Amino acid sequence: MDITVLSIFPRMFDTLNESVIGKAQEKGLLNLNIVDFRDYTTDKQNHVDDSPYGGGAGMLLQAQPIYDAMDAVEKKTPGKKRVILLDPAGKTFNTKMAKDFAEEDNLVFICGHYEGFDERIKDLVTDEVSIGDYILTGGELPTMSMIDATMRFVPGVLGNNFSAEEESFSHGLLEYPQYSRPADFRGKKVPDVLISGNHEKIRIWRLKEALRKTLDRRPDLLKTIELTDEEKKLLREIRSEN
């Protein structure tokens, strides 16, 4: 996968050379290209922002540097691209979106700063995305989060191919509780079912606990997924226990 990021703070992305994403680059599963779009400004002072027409507080990112940077990206890696603009007004990023992005060959992220973008920049993009209902100082941190979440669904990135599918939100439910050795730590014991060796009972226990955690912490998620007959039965049991 090719991922290009347009930012005026390229060194912030050095952290993606570490851990799982760093290893993905070493394996050739990810080609990460960070572009400082300040390099493409025609302003003598290298400004990439200006005040908005009509007045108002703050500064806007100008169209010219980003358009010229995108022209250079297209020359370097021609072809179809998914271009993502980090925008607080965009759709909220989630696991489904990460999976969709992971199926693409070429992603481009445009990181904003200041009070926003010249509206004409949006003509370049395919997706306007936010990571939540709050404002950060720039789009770099949200972009890194999206890249990390997306790359987990690219085959070969995770050591265990089932890891991404097993985790919270992958099937709409929060993840069930997990334990490791020792079986008894300071009087806190691992549930007997997990050391029983009975794989079917373990599967049912995990599913029930995932439903229990979701009902307790994120009941809104249960309204967005289609439960199986087994899940409905387990959910009724959980509710009867309360």
Side-chain angles (χ1 to χ4, degrees):
M1 171 181 283
D2 289 314
I3 294 181
T4 300
V5 179
L6 272 60
S7 167
I8 55 174
F9 296 105
R11 287 185 297 176
M12 289 184 69
F13 292 89
D14 289 349
T15 186
L16 293 182
N17 295 324
E18 305 293 334
S19 189
V20 173
I21 306 304
K23 291 179 180 178
Q25 294 182 71
E26 292 173 4
K27 293 177 183 178
L29 298 172
L30 170 63
N31 178 31
L32 183 63
N33 181 34
I34 311 299
V35 176
D36 185 347
F37 60 84
R38 196 185 297 276
D39 293 340
Y40 294 89
T41 181
T42 57
D43 183 86
K44 292 181 180 179
Q45 285 75 39
N46 285 335
H47 290 160
V48 293
D49 62 313
D50 204 346
S51 56
Y53 281 117
M59 306 288 277
L60 295 179
L61 285 176
Q62 296 172 285
Q64 176 272 315
I66 292 179
Y67 266 79
D68 285 359
M70 285 295 294
D71 287 344
V73 169
E74 182 61 32
K75 289 180 181 178
K76 184 175 180 179
T77 54
K80 182 182 176 182
K81 295 176 178 60
R82 192 93 173 251
V83 182
I84 300 122
L85 180 69
L86 279 296
D87 189 336
K91 293 182 179 179
T92 302
F93 185 71
N94 56 26
T95 295
K96 182 181 182 303
M97 202 178 294
K99 289 181 177 180
D100 289 343
F101 288 171
E103 294 177 359
E104 302 289 339
D105 293 325
N106 203 327
L107 300 176
V108 178
F109 291 87
I110 302 176
C111 302
H113 270 273
Y114 313 114
E115 291 299 315
F117 299 88
D118 185 305
E119 190 70 14
R120 290 166 290 190
I121 291 171
K122 295 182 179 180
D123 292 339
L124 296 170
V125 311
T126 58
D127 303 84
E128 296 176 39
V129 184
S130 165
I131 61 166
D133 295 334
Y134 52 91
I135 306 296
L136 298 176
T137 54
E140 284 76 16
L141 293 175
T143 294
M144 284 186 266
S145 296
M146 292 184 196
I147 291 173
D148 187 278
T150 296
M151 289 303 299
R152 294 176 65 81
F153 292 104
V154 173
V157 170
L158 295 181
N160 181 346
N161 290 331
F162 298 102
S163 294
E165 293 297 337
E166 290 283 330
E167 293 175 348
S168 294
F169 305 112
S170 292
H171 297 292
L173 300 175
L174 299 184
E175 190 176 16
Y176 50 80
Q178 298 196 69
Y179 300 84
S180 185
R181 287 183 283 185
D184 187 338
F185 178 70
R186 296 187 179 182
K188 301 177 186 296
K189 297 182 179 181
V190 173
D192 291 339
V193 64
L194 296 180
I195 54 179
S196 68
N198 189 317
H199 297 296
E200 177 60 12
K201 286 185 177 180
I202 291 172
R203 182 192 69 80
I204 294 172
W205 182 88
R206 285 175 168 172
L207 178 57
K208 187 173 183 178
E209 292 307 308
L211 286 162
R212 190 190 308 278
K213 183 187 285 188
T214 305
L215 179 63
D216 181 50
R217 301 185 186 181
R218 290 291 305 277
D220 56 297
L221 294 176
L222 295 173
K223 299 176 183 178
T224 65
I225 58 177
E226 186 174 348
L227 297 176
T228 66
D229 289 340
E230 180 185 37
E231 290 167 338
K232 291 176 182 177
K233 177 177 178 293
L234 292 172
L235 197 55
R236 287 195 295 270
E237 290 180 8
I238 293 167
R239 284 176 168 146
S240 69
E241 295 168 3
N242 296 335

